[in-house]
Amino acid sequence: AIPDAIGDLSSLKYFNLMGNNLTEAIPSSLGQLPAIEVLLLGNNALQGELPASIGNLQTLQLLDVGSNDLTSTIPSSFVNLENLKYLVLESNR
């Protein structure tokens, strides 16, 4: 699981947890990473919904949550991701 305390890493720009067999939900605290540019969570077994708080990540350019067990639609808050260039959602439910 990804710990909630991850949101405390205010200078984090690149976060790669691809292919680590992570389970459970993506914590909403990821939406508290003000400097994040690349968030790679693909190829795990993450479950549940994409947190709407990810829409707060103004600096995010690449989000990969493909190849997980996510079951939600894209949160409407994602319209706020003005710098997002790449969004990978393939192979979820």
Side-chain angles (χ1 to χ4, degrees):
I2 303 169
D4 284 331
I6 197 70
D8 296 335
L9 300 174
S10 60
S11 297
L12 188 66
K13 290 187 177 210
Y14 184 94
F15 189 48
N16 183 353
L17 288 177
M18 291 187 77
N20 282 290
N21 296 314
L22 296 172
T23 59
E24 299 183 24
I26 297 172
S28 61
S29 61
L30 281 179
Q32 300 170 357
L33 298 170
I36 196 76
E37 295 175 1
V38 177
L39 185 54
L40 304 173
L41 302 174
N43 205 18
N44 284 292
L46 295 168
Q47 304 166 359
E49 301 181 353
L50 281 170
S53 63
I54 291 177
N56 299 330
L57 302 175
Q58 296 298 312
T59 57
L60 189 64
Q61 296 177 27
L62 175 113
L63 174 61
D64 184 343
V65 291
S67 298
N68 280 292
D69 291 323
L70 300 174
T71 56
S72 67
T73 58
I74 300 171
S76 60
S77 63
F78 276 35
V79 299
N80 299 322
L81 298 173
E82 295 177 3
N83 290 305
L84 190 67
K85 293 179 176 69
Y86 304 99
L87 176 61
V88 180
L89 301 169
E90 47 80 29
S91 297
N92 281 287
R93 291 185 185 195

